[in-house]
Amino acid sequence: MTKYTDILKKEISTYLLTDNIFFHYKGRVSLYAILKSMGVGKDDEVIIPAYTCVVVPNPIIYLGAKPVYVEIDKASLCMDLSQLEKAITKKTKVIICQNTYGLSANVDEIVKIAKSQNLYTIEDCTHGFGGNYKGKPNGSYCDAAFYSMQWNKPFSSGVGGFMTVNNPVLLDSIIKQEPEKHEISFGTKINLKLLFFVKRYLLNKTTYWIMVNFYRWLSKNNLITGSSSGEEITDIIIPDKFFMNYSEVQAKEAVRNIKKLPELLELRKQNASVYSTFLKSKNKCYVDEKLFNNHAFLKYPVFVKDREEFFNYARKHKIELGDWFNSPIHPVQCNFGKWFINPEEFPIALEASKHVINIPTDTKNPERVISFLEKYIDEIK
Ligand SMILES: Cc1ncc(COP(=O)(O)O)c(C=O)c1O
């Protein structure tokens, strides 16, 4: 019988135009494997944007290296190129660029800088699968790229990740790591199946906020297979059996969902365009269409005056708002020193984390979102 992971690999390769695809339990595990294949270790530095998820600096720290953060650009919410070269030192080994919310990461420019200094590059495509940058699929420019199949990602298998390898020098090491992957337990498989059922049949606009909050609470307390376990948010110690394999249970769900992707990508792009037109007409911050022409518009960021209040309005009107990123290293809110970052040094990333909310791009009814925004237009920056 053909394995679901083989079917999935074939589907993914039609988007990414490569067969060098390797699966892991989560995207962060793929990142760990890539860093390892690049020989990242003690005393090395890895450059990352100062507006990301904590699970990005974590694998760098697990390997004994240090994450070095670079301020972001307010228009694209990706790394500010003008700040990048200042962050490069003799210890720098890798630059990770990220297509935040599916937006452009200026990846060609970053690769040019990296090559001139003999550095490796990794593209964090966890938000950008299915999008293109200057005519090539996201993930094509760097030495390697990693992707996520977590709940809110372009296509999902509950949790899940994979990587593509463009630099053949890394392949040997990646292949050697394959047998080291732990297999997921029977309990986790059952847990995932249960979550797929809940998502498919019980999650809707009425239950959204209750479900999301309940899931996060269960996940934070390690009571369910969650996006991040408690220790990944509170500490920098590698969780037990972190280097985990992807499973057939996940692949089956992913195959089901990737088939819906072309339609979804189109819908996201159309909605993003509707939102930009509306916000522009109201003289508010909006995403310039030239930034997302060919991108997987996973989220649409809106700058609001008071984030918490805005979430209260959204709950009242049953609007499914996203909260990425609520911190320069989402969702960490304290003890930033553990992750080698002082958020005060990155005012734009800090402002974004205090004021950005995400409006849904996968809705068939963007008018409902627009009329919600219209109602609270004075609360939008
Ligand atoms: C920017 C970014 N990078 C990496 C990841 C990690 O992906 P995963 O949850 O599959 O490990 C996330 C997760 O949301 C993310 O937002």
Side-chain angles (χ1 to χ4, degrees):
M1 203 178 80
T2 319
K3 283 165 62 186
Y4 285 105
T5 31
D6 292 336
I7 302 172
L8 182 59
K9 190 171 165 182
K10 216 177 229 169
E11 290 277 348
I12 292 171
S13 69
T14 63
Y15 284 87
L16 301 181
L17 314 176
T18 175
D19 290 325
N20 290 334
I21 298 165
F22 300 86
F23 292 99
H24 295 94
Y25 183 53
K26 292 180 182 177
R28 67 200 73 175
V29 185
S30 293
L31 170 60
Y32 180 83
I34 297 171
L35 291 167
K36 224 172 145 185
S37 76
M38 292 173 170
V40 169
K42 197 168 170 307
D43 292 334
D44 289 330
E45 291 179 355
V46 177
I47 292 179
I48 61 176
Y51 186 64
T52 188
C53 185
V54 69
V55 301
V56 173
N58 275 349
I60 300 167
I61 300 171
Y62 297 161
L63 287 166
K66 183 182 164 197
V68 172
Y69 299 83
V70 169
E71 179 63 296
I72 55 163
D73 161 56
K74 193 168 172 182
S76 69
L77 300 175
C78 291
M79 197 183 277
D80 180 349
L81 267 186
S82 70
Q83 305 293 313
L84 173 58
E85 276 177 284
K86 280 189 246 170
I88 299 176
T89 71
K90 281 198 189 107
K91 293 181 175 180
T92 308
K93 194 151 199 172
V94 184
I95 301 172
I96 300 180
C97 45
Q98 163 184 303
N99 30 53
T100 311
Y101 307 147
L103 291 167
S104 158
N106 283 321
V107 63
D108 52 341
E109 299 289 332
I110 293 173
V111 169
K112 210 186 286 168
I113 293 171
K115 281 205 170 133
S116 73
Q117 313 231 15
N118 253 327
L119 306 174
Y120 281 122
T121 46
I122 301 174
E123 192 170 357
D124 179 341
C125 294
T126 51
H127 299 188
F129 180 83
N132 287 277
Y133 182 65
K134 296 192 178 169
K136 291 208 300 191
N138 285 344
S140 309
Y141 288 84
C142 293
D143 294 299
F146 67 103
Y147 304 77
S148 174
M149 294 174 281
Q150 182 250 3
W151 296 112
N152 288 311
K153 297 303 185 323
F155 69 95
S156 162
S157 58
V159 292
F162 60 94
M163 64 155 93
T164 50
V165 183
N166 301 320
N167 182 345
V169 166
L170 305 174
L171 268 178
D172 234 21
S173 165
I174 299 282
I175 292 165
K176 272 199 193 120
Q177 291 180 53
E178 286 289 284
E180 293 168 20
K181 294 189 285 194
H182 298 279
E183 295 304 325
I184 76 168
S185 68
F186 178 72
T188 304
K189 285 183 193 167
I190 299 292
N191 218 312
L192 281 168
K193 283 187 181 185
L194 185 71
L195 289 170
F196 297 151
F197 177 86
V198 170
K199 169 118 198 274
R200 201 165 298 145
Y201 299 108
L202 303 179
L203 188 68
N204 55 47
K205 95 175 183 287
T206 312
T207 60
Y208 176 82
W209 282 106
I210 299 164
M211 292 285 196
V212 167
N213 290 334
F214 188 47
Y215 173 75
R216 282 185 185 162
W217 182 84
L218 289 171
S219 160
K220 202 169 134 201
N221 290 288
N222 295 340
L223 297 171
I224 203 161
T225 305
S227 302
S228 290
S229 59
E231 71 241 77
E232 292 178 280
I233 300 165
T234 55
D235 221 328
I236 48 164
I237 296 160
I238 188 163
D240 190 33
K241 296 191 176 160
F242 176 76
F243 197 57
M244 188 103 81
N245 203 358
Y246 197 57
S247 66
E248 282 291 287
V249 172
Q250 288 157 289
K252 186 176 176 188
E253 182 71 10
V255 167
R256 195 188 155 98
N257 289 328
I258 199 171
K259 291 198 192 308
K260 301 180 210 154
L261 192 62
E263 205 182 308
L264 189 56
L265 283 169
E266 206 39 54
L267 180 68
R268 289 190 191 282
K269 232 186 276 181
Q270 274 170 20
N271 284 338
S273 177
V274 170
Y275 295 150
S276 277
T277 306
F278 168 75
L279 290 166
K280 193 175 175 183
S281 75
K282 300 286 177 189
N283 284 324
K284 303 292 176 185
C285 286
Y286 65 96
V287 181
D288 195 326
E289 231 167 296
K290 71 173 190 291
L291 283 170
F292 67 84
N293 197 20
N294 289 308
H295 280 266
F297 223 93
L298 187 66
K299 303 269 173 186
Y300 190 103
V302 175
F303 279 81
V304 297
K305 290 180 185 162
D306 187 329
R307 210 167 177 266
E308 285 319 304
E309 267 307 293
F310 220 81
F311 279 113
N312 289 336
Y313 305 145
R315 280 186 204 102
K316 192 167 131 199
H317 293 277
K318 298 193 170 34
I319 298 287
E320 303 96 324
L321 285 192
D323 69 345
W324 296 354
F325 292 123
N326 65 13
S327 145
I329 47 170
H330 180 99
V332 171
Q333 299 296 332
C334 58
N335 299 324
F336 287 98
K338 273 189 194 176
W339 286 273
F340 302 93
I341 185 170
N342 173 7
E344 303 297 329
E345 288 173 16
F346 306 99
I348 299 174
L350 196 58
E351 186 195 351
S353 63
K354 289 197 166 136
H355 295 282
V356 164
I357 49 108
N358 328 120
I359 49 177
T361 53
D362 58 352
T363 176
K364 295 236 167 76
N365 190 357
E367 294 77 22
R368 200 171 73 87
V369 181
I370 297 276
S371 59
F372 165 72
L373 296 178
E374 185 119 51
K375 208 177 197 81
Y376 296 102
I377 198 72
D378 291 340
E379 306 301 316
I380 297 174
K381 285 178 137 200

